[in-house]
Amino acid sequence: MFNLPEFIELLKAVTVDCKDNGKEFTVTTRVEVIENLLKDSAYKLVAREPLSLIYAKHELCEGESVALVSSHVDCLYENCFCSVEEAFLRGTFDNSFGNAAILWMMLHDMLPDNVVVAFTGDEERDSQGAVQTVLALGRMQCKIKFALVLEVTNVGWGRGAHFALENDNGIDLLTAYSIVETVRLLGAEYVFEHNAEPDESWDYSNYGIPSLTLSMPVGGNMHSNEGVLLHKEAIDTYCQVLSLLPFLF
């Protein structure tokens, strides 16, 4: 069961610095936190690339078909923080929120066995972490049947949306219908933006991988050191959607 205070503590833990130079991580504080959080979990680190940490529940086999969840860990902030206000959280959440959301799923073992999770770098520039993820899984001769990217967005904030579906690419009609029906049954406010701001989904789609971004709407400049606002009440719904979508792929 979702527990907001526990989630906030997890979010605080990963809202720490992480930088790279486009080739490798240069500030690894967040990477180290993630590795420590997952060391006793059901997940194993199956590949360590210069700009990507790839986790799965088991060693991947040749010919295996996997669903990829991708969450970038690099940030542009000078100082990272997460503070609690009455109805909101305020902080530097691009993309520590996405990191916390998928970590919550992993730590509570809420994902299908075929899901592979990548924590990537260089998203804010050239998305070389996403490229390294595709190449690493290719070397293992795995087939990526879908890529779900986790992000924050300004889309939907003004409407009070609990989540946004963005940058869908290459999704077949049956899967698209299943996604729409699944989120409709939640009865939550959400928005759909076919062509949103660039993110890693664009890079995965360049490799012919069907892709979609699940974003958390936030208020404010996402890259500002002043941070953004995030509705507390939206977090549970976002996590519900994240727990459901991988079962459709």
Side-chain angles (χ1 to χ4, degrees), residues 73-113:
V73 294
D74 59 307
C75 68
L76 298 178
Y77 307 111
E78 294 177 10
N79 296 291
C80 298
F81 75 96
C82 172
S83 62
V84 181
E85 301 181 3
E86 185 172 349
F88 304 98
L89 300 180
R90 182 185 297 274
T92 49
F93 297 139
D94 185 12
N95 182 39
S96 63
F97 178 81
N99 306 156
I102 192 59
L103 283 166
W104 181 268
M105 298 296 119
M106 298 168 78
L107 293 170
H108 292 83
D109 202 7
M110 298 173 69
L111 298 169
D113 289 345

Side-chain angles (χ1 to χ4, degrees), residues 66-224:
V66 301
L68 172 66
V69 179
S70 184
S71 180
H72 79 85
V73 294
D74 59 307
C75 68
L76 298 178
Y77 307 111
E78 294 177 10
N79 296 291
C80 298
F81 75 96
C82 172
S83 62
V84 181
E85 301 181 3
E86 185 172 349
F88 304 98
L89 300 180
R90 182 185 297 274
T92 49
F93 297 139
D94 185 12
N95 182 39
S96 63
F97 178 81
N99 306 156
I102 192 59
L103 283 166
W104 181 268
M105 298 296 119
M106 298 168 78
L107 293 170
H108 292 83
D109 202 7
M110 298 173 69
L111 298 169
D113 289 345
N114 70 327
V115 168
V116 171
V117 179
F119 296 99
T120 60
D122 191 48
E123 190 274 345
E124 299 292 359
R125 287 182 292 251
D126 299 318
S127 290
Q128 287 302 304
V131 172
Q132 290 179 13
T133 299
V134 173
L135 296 179
L137 292 172
R139 288 193 297 272
M140 297 180 204
Q141 299 188 49
C142 292
K143 173 180 172 55
I144 306 173
K145 60 180 181 179
F146 200 95
L148 180 65
V149 173
L150 308 184
E151 265 289 5
V152 292
T153 183
N154 293 132
V155 173
W157 173 257
R159 291 176 49 182
H162 289 76
F163 61 94
L165 300 176
E166 301 180 309
N167 290 331
D168 60 305
N169 223 304
I171 302 174
D172 65 82
L173 288 176
L174 181 59
T175 302
Y177 176 79
S178 297
I179 292 170
V180 171
E181 281 300 292
T182 297
V183 299
R184 183 184 66 81
L185 290 173
L186 287 175
E189 180 71 25
Y190 75 97
V191 293
F192 172 75
E193 187 79 15
H194 176 61
N195 287 311
E197 290 295 315
D199 59 37
E200 289 180 328
S201 65
W202 291 31
D203 301 278
Y204 293 122
S205 68
N206 284 339
Y207 283 90
I209 301 167
S211 56
L212 175 71
T213 300
L214 173 62
S215 294
M216 169 59 82
V218 295
N221 183 341
M222 289 186 293
H223 295 153
S224 169

